Amino acid sequence: RGRGRGTFLVILTMLLGALNFNTSRLREAESILREALGSASTTLGDDHPDILQVRQMLGASLLEQGRYAEADKVLTEALERWRSRGAPDAPNVIVVLTIRGEGRLYAGRLQQARDDFREAATAGEKMFGKVHTFVGIGLRAMARVDAERGQLALAETGMRNAIAAFGTKVRPTGYN
């Protein structure tokens, strides 16, 4: 209700793209998502939430294909557009930061990945409090980067904080 034909078609296309993505048909998902961006962004506008969701899914599809530079570009654009909507810490911003951080981690851009994960964890804490899944995911990802760098003590502290953020009984410590 209250949604026009353009929005309805974008949602159907997103679902089809998601189905292909979830069944590891990544090239098909990419093609469908690009088609949705091309046709629906003119109808709905580039900053429409449904279009931004398509950008997120396209970025994730590119990431899964190992096309890190392309994924980073698409995800950065989605992130900037979500932020321009006036909710810099909204859940979608946190999700895009986490996906982009994964791509940067896989591409060996460790500091940028850690920065994305930290920003996601901080935004999650600001929005939901210290004990929340978004916080735990960000902290756990930061710990992965620290372990990759060989900073094992920092990684251990990060994992303890992540466990605490997921709501389990571990005493958290300060995180950097």
Side-chain angles (χ1 to χ4, degrees), residues 22-37:
N22 290 332
T23 58
S24 297
R25 295 173 51 193
L26 300 172
R27 289 278 182 190
E28 292 91 342
E30 177 190 352
S31 176
I32 290 166
L33 294 168
R34 284 191 189 279
E35 183 179 324
L37 277 178

PDB file of all heavy atoms in Angstrom, residues 22-37:
ATOM      1  N   ASN A  22      21.773 -15.616  -3.086  1.00  0.00           N
ATOM      2  CA  ASN A  22      21.751 -16.631  -2.031  1.00  0.00           C
ATOM      3  C   ASN A  22      21.972 -18.037  -2.554  1.00  0.00           C
ATOM      4  O   ASN A  22      22.300 -18.931  -1.782  1.00  0.00           O
ATOM      5  CB  ASN A  22      20.447 -16.547  -1.234  1.00  0.00           C
ATOM      6  CG  ASN A  22      20.395 -15.292  -0.388  1.00  0.00           C
ATOM      7  OD1 ASN A  22      21.423 -14.771   0.018  1.00  0.00           O
ATOM      8  ND2 ASN A  22      19.203 -14.802  -0.137  1.00  0.00           N
ATOM      9  N   THR A  23      21.786 -18.248  -3.834  1.00  0.00           N
ATOM     10  CA  THR A  23      22.048 -19.562  -4.418  1.00  0.00           C
ATOM     11  C   THR A  23      23.376 -19.561  -5.170  1.00  0.00           C
ATOM     12  O   THR A  23      23.624 -20.438  -5.988  1.00  0.00           O
ATOM     13  CB  THR A  23      20.892 -19.990  -5.352  1.00  0.00           C
ATOM     14  OG1 THR A  23      20.735 -19.010  -6.378  1.00  0.00           O
ATOM     15  CG2 THR A  23      19.603 -20.183  -4.590  1.00  0.00           C
ATOM     16  N   SER A  24      24.202 -18.571  -4.896  1.00  0.00           N
ATOM     17  CA  SER A  24      25.546 -18.437  -5.472  1.00  0.00           C
ATOM     18  C   SER A  24      25.541 -18.258  -6.986  1.00  0.00           C
ATOM     19  O   SER A  24      26.522 -18.560  -7.653  1.00  0.00           O
ATOM     20  CB  SER A  24      26.424 -19.626  -5.079  1.00  0.00           C
ATOM     21  OG  SER A  24      26.602 -19.650  -3.683  1.00  0.00           O
ATOM     22  N   ARG A  25      24.467 -17.755  -7.515  1.00  0.00           N
ATOM     23  CA  ARG A  25      24.421 -17.405  -8.936  1.00  0.00           C
ATOM     24  C   ARG A  25      24.745 -15.916  -9.030  1.00  0.00           C
ATOM     25  O   ARG A  25      23.892 -15.091  -9.316  1.00  0.00           O
ATOM     26  CB  ARG A  25      23.054 -17.764  -9.507  1.00  0.00           C
ATOM     27  CG  ARG A  25      22.824 -19.282  -9.474  1.00  0.00           C
ATOM     28  CD  ARG A  25      21.439 -19.703  -9.855  1.00  0.00           C
ATOM     29  NE  ARG A  25      21.025 -19.113 -11.115  1.00  0.00           N
ATOM     30  CZ  ARG A  25      19.771 -19.142 -11.530  1.00  0.00           C
ATOM     31  NH1 ARG A  25      18.842 -19.714 -10.815  1.00  0.00           N
ATOM     32  NH2 ARG A  25      19.437 -18.594 -12.682  1.00  0.00           N
ATOM     33  N   LEU A  26      25.997 -15.606  -8.770  1.00  0.00           N
ATOM     34  CA  LEU A  26      26.409 -14.218  -8.562  1.00  0.00           C
ATOM     35  C   LEU A  26      26.371 -13.379  -9.829  1.00  0.00           C
ATOM     36  O   LEU A  26      26.011 -12.201  -9.778  1.00  0.00           O
ATOM     37  CB  LEU A  26      27.800 -14.196  -7.931  1.00  0.00           C
ATOM     38  CG  LEU A  26      27.885 -14.897  -6.571  1.00  0.00           C
ATOM     39  CD1 LEU A  26      29.334 -14.984  -6.114  1.00  0.00           C
ATOM     40  CD2 LEU A  26      27.039 -14.178  -5.545  1.00  0.00           C
ATOM     41  N   ARG A  27      26.742 -13.931 -10.947  1.00  0.00           N
ATOM     42  CA  ARG A  27      26.698 -13.169 -12.207  1.00  0.00           C
ATOM     43  C   ARG A  27      25.253 -12.810 -12.560  1.00  0.00           C
ATOM     44  O   ARG A  27      24.975 -11.707 -13.006  1.00  0.00           O
ATOM     45  CB  ARG A  27      27.325 -13.961 -13.353  1.00  0.00           C
ATOM     46  CG  ARG A  27      28.819 -14.093 -13.243  1.00  0.00           C
ATOM     47  CD  ARG A  27      29.476 -12.850 -13.766  1.00  0.00           C
ATOM     48  NE  ARG A  27      30.924 -13.029 -13.702  1.00  0.00           N
ATOM     49  CZ  ARG A  27      31.762 -12.071 -13.910  1.00  0.00           C
ATOM     50  NH1 ARG A  27      31.338 -10.869 -14.217  1.00  0.00           N
ATOM     51  NH2 ARG A  27      33.051 -12.280 -13.821  1.00  0.00           N
ATOM     52  N   GLU A  28      24.347 -13.774 -12.366  1.00  0.00           N
ATOM     53  CA  GLU A  28      22.932 -13.507 -12.635  1.00  0.00           C
ATOM     54  C   GLU A  28      22.407 -12.446 -11.687  1.00  0.00           C
ATOM     55  O   GLU A  28      21.671 -11.540 -12.086  1.00  0.00           O
ATOM     56  CB  GLU A  28      22.093 -14.787 -12.522  1.00  0.00           C
ATOM     57  CG  GLU A  28      22.369 -15.800 -13.606  1.00  0.00           C
ATOM     58  CD  GLU A  28      23.458 -16.798 -13.227  1.00  0.00           C
ATOM     59  OE1 GLU A  28      24.245 -16.532 -12.288  1.00  0.00           O
ATOM     60  OE2 GLU A  28      23.551 -17.838 -13.886  1.00  0.00           O
ATOM     61  N   ALA A  29      22.787 -12.558 -10.413  1.00  0.00           N
ATOM     62  CA  ALA A  29      22.356 -11.566  -9.424  1.00  0.00           C
ATOM     63  C   ALA A  29      22.865 -10.186  -9.812  1.00  0.00           C
ATOM     64  O   ALA A  29      22.106  -9.211  -9.778  1.00  0.00           O
ATOM     65  CB  ALA A  29      22.871 -11.949  -8.030  1.00  0.00           C
ATOM     66  N   GLU A  30      24.129 -10.117 -10.203  1.00  0.00           N
ATOM     67  CA  GLU A  30      24.696  -8.829 -10.608  1.00  0.00           C
ATOM     68  C   GLU A  30      23.919  -8.233 -11.777  1.00  0.00           C
ATOM     69  O   GLU A  30      23.563  -7.045 -11.765  1.00  0.00           O
ATOM     70  CB  GLU A  30      26.165  -8.995 -10.990  1.00  0.00           C
ATOM     71  CG  GLU A  30      26.790  -7.710 -11.490  1.00  0.00           C
ATOM     72  CD  GLU A  30      28.160  -7.906 -12.103  1.00  0.00           C
ATOM     73  OE1 GLU A  30      28.734  -9.012 -12.025  1.00  0.00           O
ATOM     74  OE2 GLU A  30      28.659  -6.921 -12.684  1.00  0.00           O
ATOM     75  N   SER A  31      23.632  -9.034 -12.763  1.00  0.00           N
ATOM     76  CA  SER A  31      22.914  -8.557 -13.940  1.00  0.00           C
ATOM     77  C   SER A  31      21.526  -8.039 -13.574  1.00  0.00           C
ATOM     78  O   SER A  31      21.116  -6.956 -14.004  1.00  0.00           O
ATOM     79  CB  SER A  31      22.803  -9.696 -14.964  1.00  0.00           C
ATOM     80  OG  SER A  31      22.042  -9.286 -16.066  1.00  0.00           O
ATOM     81  N   ILE A  32      20.816  -8.774 -12.757  1.00  0.00           N
ATOM     82  CA  ILE A  32      19.467  -8.382 -12.341  1.00  0.00           C
ATOM     83  C   ILE A  32      19.519  -7.093 -11.520  1.00  0.00           C
ATOM     84  O   ILE A  32      18.709  -6.179 -11.713  1.00  0.00           O
ATOM     85  CB  ILE A  32      18.808  -9.519 -11.542  1.00  0.00           C
ATOM     86  CG1 ILE A  32      18.486 -10.681 -12.479  1.00  0.00           C
ATOM     87  CG2 ILE A  32      17.552  -9.035 -10.821  1.00  0.00           C
ATOM     88  CD1 ILE A  32      18.148 -11.966 -11.763  1.00  0.00           C
ATOM     89  N   LEU A  33      20.478  -7.011 -10.620  1.00  0.00           N
ATOM     90  CA  LEU A  33      20.580  -5.831  -9.758  1.00  0.00           C
ATOM     91  C   LEU A  33      20.980  -4.596 -10.569  1.00  0.00           C
ATOM     92  O   LEU A  33      20.465  -3.499 -10.327  1.00  0.00           O
ATOM     93  CB  LEU A  33      21.558  -6.096  -8.613  1.00  0.00           C
ATOM     94  CG  LEU A  33      21.084  -7.177  -7.637  1.00  0.00           C
ATOM     95  CD1 LEU A  33      22.217  -7.585  -6.703  1.00  0.00           C
ATOM     96  CD2 LEU A  33      19.870  -6.722  -6.855  1.00  0.00           C
ATOM     97  N   ARG A  34      21.872  -4.768 -11.521  1.00  0.00           N
ATOM     98  CA  ARG A  34      22.244  -3.626 -12.376  1.00  0.00           C
ATOM     99  C   ARG A  34      21.042  -3.160 -13.205  1.00  0.00           C
ATOM    100  O   ARG A  34      20.838  -1.968 -13.400  1.00  0.00           O
ATOM    101  CB  ARG A  34      23.419  -3.988 -13.277  1.00  0.00           C
ATOM    102  CG  ARG A  34      24.745  -4.019 -12.544  1.00  0.00           C
ATOM    103  CD  ARG A  34      25.907  -4.114 -13.516  1.00  0.00           C
ATOM    104  NE  ARG A  34      27.158  -4.343 -12.834  1.00  0.00           N
ATOM    105  CZ  ARG A  34      27.891  -3.407 -12.246  1.00  0.00           C
ATOM    106  NH1 ARG A  34      27.476  -2.159 -12.228  1.00  0.00           N
ATOM    107  NH2 ARG A  34      29.037  -3.717 -11.660  1.00  0.00           N
ATOM    108  N   GLU A  35      20.261  -4.109 -13.683  1.00  0.00           N
ATOM    109  CA  GLU A  35      19.061  -3.756 -14.444  1.00  0.00           C
ATOM    110  C   GLU A  35      18.080  -2.977 -13.559  1.00  0.00           C
ATOM    111  O   GLU A  35      17.505  -1.976 -13.986  1.00  0.00           O
ATOM    112  CB  GLU A  35      18.395  -5.022 -14.973  1.00  0.00           C
ATOM    113  CG  GLU A  35      17.178  -4.758 -15.830  1.00  0.00           C
ATOM    114  CD  GLU A  35      16.560  -6.044 -16.351  1.00  0.00           C
ATOM    115  OE1 GLU A  35      17.307  -6.985 -16.655  1.00  0.00           O
ATOM    116  OE2 GLU A  35      15.323  -6.082 -16.440  1.00  0.00           O
ATOM    117  N   ALA A  36      17.928  -3.418 -12.322  1.00  0.00           N
ATOM    118  CA  ALA A  36      17.033  -2.715 -11.392  1.00  0.00           C
ATOM    119  C   ALA A  36      17.529  -1.300 -11.141  1.00  0.00           C
ATOM    120  O   ALA A  36      16.739  -0.352 -11.116  1.00  0.00           O
ATOM    121  CB  ALA A  36      16.928  -3.477 -10.073  1.00  0.00           C
ATOM    122  N   LEU A  37      18.829  -1.143 -10.973  1.00  0.00           N
ATOM    123  CA  LEU A  37      19.385   0.201 -10.762  1.00  0.00           C
ATOM    124  C   LEU A  37      19.126   1.095 -11.967  1.00  0.00           C
ATOM    125  O   LEU A  37      18.745   2.253 -11.819  1.00  0.00           O
ATOM    126  CB  LEU A  37      20.891   0.132 -10.503  1.00  0.00           C
ATOM    127  CG  LEU A  37      21.329  -0.174  -9.094  1.00  0.00           C
ATOM    128  CD1 LEU A  37      22.847  -0.243  -9.019  1.00  0.00           C
ATOM    129  CD2 LEU A  37      20.810   0.854  -8.120  1.00  0.00           C
TER     130      LEU A  37
END
